[in-house]
Amino acid sequence: MFLKKYAFSAACAAVLVSAYALAPLAQACTRFVYHGADNEIITARSMDWKSDIGTNLWIFPRGMQRSGEAGPHSIRWTSKYGSVIASGYDISTTDGMNEAGLVANALWLVESTYPAYDGTTPGLSIAAWAQYVLDNFASVQEAVDTLAEQPFTLVTDKVPGEDRLATLHLSLSDASGDSAIIEYIDGRQVIHHSRTYQVMTNSPIFEQQLALNSYWQQIGGLVMLPGTNRASDRFARASFYVNAIPKTGTSTDALASAFSVIRNVSVPYGIVTPDQPNISSTRWRTVADQKNKLYFFESALAPNVFWVDMKTLDLSESTGQVKKLSLGPDQSHIYAGLVNDQFKETKPFKFLGL
């Protein structure tokens, strides 16, 4: 009876089976965008990695001189917007929000392949990809319009301490709730742009994730949802819950709902999947309140949530300072509540490049 009621087409079944069977192993992160009442927009993400990714929080003011760190022909720019970011190994920007409410999240996608770089055109290190967007754009539409013109060649390099290339895709969301996913497939940039693209995880590629999720939408989340830590299962759960949680209430209610969803799609700390060694524990989570310009951070190894209020930061070009909040090994330093005054002036890190 259940199978008859929720039967799906042979084509959809083929997509489901082949995607599960062929999807390469990948690091497991999740990102979603919540659309609430009274223009409440919240973007949440989890960072799942097999070892300490060396994350700290940084404040970057406007007016910073940037290089794409891809050799003598690197793209160069001056930051138009200040931002708060979470670093990876203090050589890359993995996550962050700028003062206009634009959020960028870099997640692993093993299927990514980037164009060959001959060193003669403007190049951008993948370590600075998210920061380039945060520095230059206030909205998803503005970013997509520029990226579609391909102003740079994206250049990747090996993950620190590993013998493999960084293979990432990038999600963008803004204070209006607009969203975009940027991937590089077979050496070509692919941009998925729609307010409805609220969720991104890892493998398979985003187009196949949408096909897989259509199956679970037919079943309905109140009947059954996939429960494993696989990327496709987390995509289905996040897609259902982000639209099932209440869209009314206060900002506090909305934040509580967003935190509950990102925790639901996280991988418990210490979990190891024997036959899938690259599916990893959640090490930290961020929740960006794009209406109120609050950036929340939660570490798996610390008992408290803490946050940055971007409205009270000095991000000006004339007096703003680069500052760092050291999170310690495995992000185990303990903070609580508002941490604006605990950042320390620090020399900016250099993006990993050629």
Side-chain angles (χ1 to χ4, degrees):
M1 186 68 180
F2 177 85
L3 291 178
K4 290 181 180 179
K5 184 175 180 181
Y6 297 109
F8 52 95
S9 68
C12 185
V15 170
L16 181 70
V17 172
S18 63
Y20 267 89
L22 300 177
L25 302 179
Q27 301 292 351
C29 303
T30 306
R31 164 270 199 189
F32 68 80
V33 183
Y34 166 85
H35 298 155
D38 299 323
N39 301 313
E40 186 70 62
I41 303 297
I42 297 172
T43 298
R45 73 84 54 88
S46 62
M47 170 58 79
D48 305 351
W49 204 250
K50 64 181 181 179
S51 58
D52 183 10
I53 197 171
T55 296
N56 294 294
L57 296 191
W58 292 78
I59 296 170
F60 292 140
R62 298 185 291 274
M64 294 187 68
Q65 302 298 313
R66 302 286 202 184
S67 165
E69 301 298 345
H73 293 283
S74 298
I75 189 171
R76 298 183 183 276
W77 70 95
T78 302
S79 60
K80 299 177 183 177
Y81 301 96
S83 58
V84 172
I85 68 98
S87 67
Y89 304 103
D90 275 354
I91 52 87
S92 67
T93 293
T94 64
D95 191 86
M97 177 168 66
N98 71 17
E99 60 186 307
L102 182 71
V103 169
N105 322 97
L107 278 69
W108 195 261
L109 180 67
V110 73
E111 293 91 344
S112 302
T113 56
Y114 306 100
Y117 183 55
D118 61 9
T120 64
T121 59
L124 176 68
S125 166
I126 197 170
W129 192 15
Q131 194 62 53
Y132 172 85
V133 172
L134 294 173
D135 283 352
N136 285 290
F137 307 114
S139 70
V140 169
Q141 186 66 62
E142 186 182 355
V144 165
D145 288 346
T146 297
L147 294 176
E149 297 175 358
Q150 301 192 64
F152 54 78
T153 300
L154 194 65
V155 181
T156 190
D157 202 349
K158 290 183 179 180
V159 177
E162 300 187 36
D163 190 25
R164 60 172 176 164
L165 294 176
T167 52
L168 307 174
H169 53 172
L170 185 69
S171 68
L172 307 177
S173 60
D174 63 27
S176 76
D178 198 8
S179 184
I181 312 296
I182 299 97
E183 298 180 338
Y184 280 81
I185 308 300
D186 296 326
R188 298 179 57 198
Q189 179 182 247
V190 180
I191 299 176
H192 303 273
H193 179 202
S194 172
R195 181 182 173 88
T196 64
Y197 295 154
Q198 294 172 256
V199 177
M200 184 175 86
T201 55
N202 313 106
S203 298
I205 63 176
F206 188 69
E207 182 178 4
Q208 293 176 14
Q209 290 278 20
L210 294 176
L212 289 167
N213 193 52
S214 68
Y215 161 67
W216 293 109
Q217 288 176 332
Q218 292 178 51
I219 291 179
L222 295 178
V223 176
M224 182 177 66
L225 281 171
T228 79
N229 55 9
R230 295 179 66 104
S232 298
D233 289 3
R234 289 181 283 106
F235 191 105
R237 293 204 305 279
S239 295
F240 172 73
Y241 284 123
V242 73
N243 289 302
I245 55 180
K247 301 300 186 293
T248 59
T250 66
S251 293
T252 300
D253 295 330
L255 286 166
S257 294
F259 265 107
S260 68
V261 174
I262 198 61
R263 289 165 179 156
N264 179 279
V265 295
S266 295
V267 180
Y269 193 81
I271 287 290
V272 175
T273 306
D275 62 337
Q276 299 181 59
N278 287 336
I279 292 183
S280 307
S281 300
T282 296
R283 295 191 164 268
W284 50 257
R285 291 171 282 267
T286 61
V287 174
D289 181 341
Q290 290 151 276
K291 175 183 178 181
N292 298 300
K293 306 299 188 295
L294 301 173
Y295 187 73
F296 294 82
F297 191 93
E298 180 180 49
S299 170
L301 291 183
N304 302 316
V305 175
F306 58 90
W307 61 91
V308 179
D309 184 349
M310 295 191 69
K311 300 186 300 298
T312 62
L313 295 178
D314 181 1
L315 298 173
S316 66
E317 182 175 353
S318 58
T319 59
Q321 299 174 331
V322 175
K323 294 184 176 182
K324 173 182 176 180
L325 184 69
S326 178
L327 302 183
D330 293 301
Q331 299 74 59
S332 59
H333 288 178
I334 296 175
Y335 299 97
L338 183 65
V339 294
N340 287 35
D341 61 354
Q342 298 188 59
F343 281 78
K344 306 299 182 185
E345 184 178 0
T346 310
K347 181 180 178 180
F349 64 77
K350 181 180 176 65
F351 290 103
L352 180 67
L354 301 181

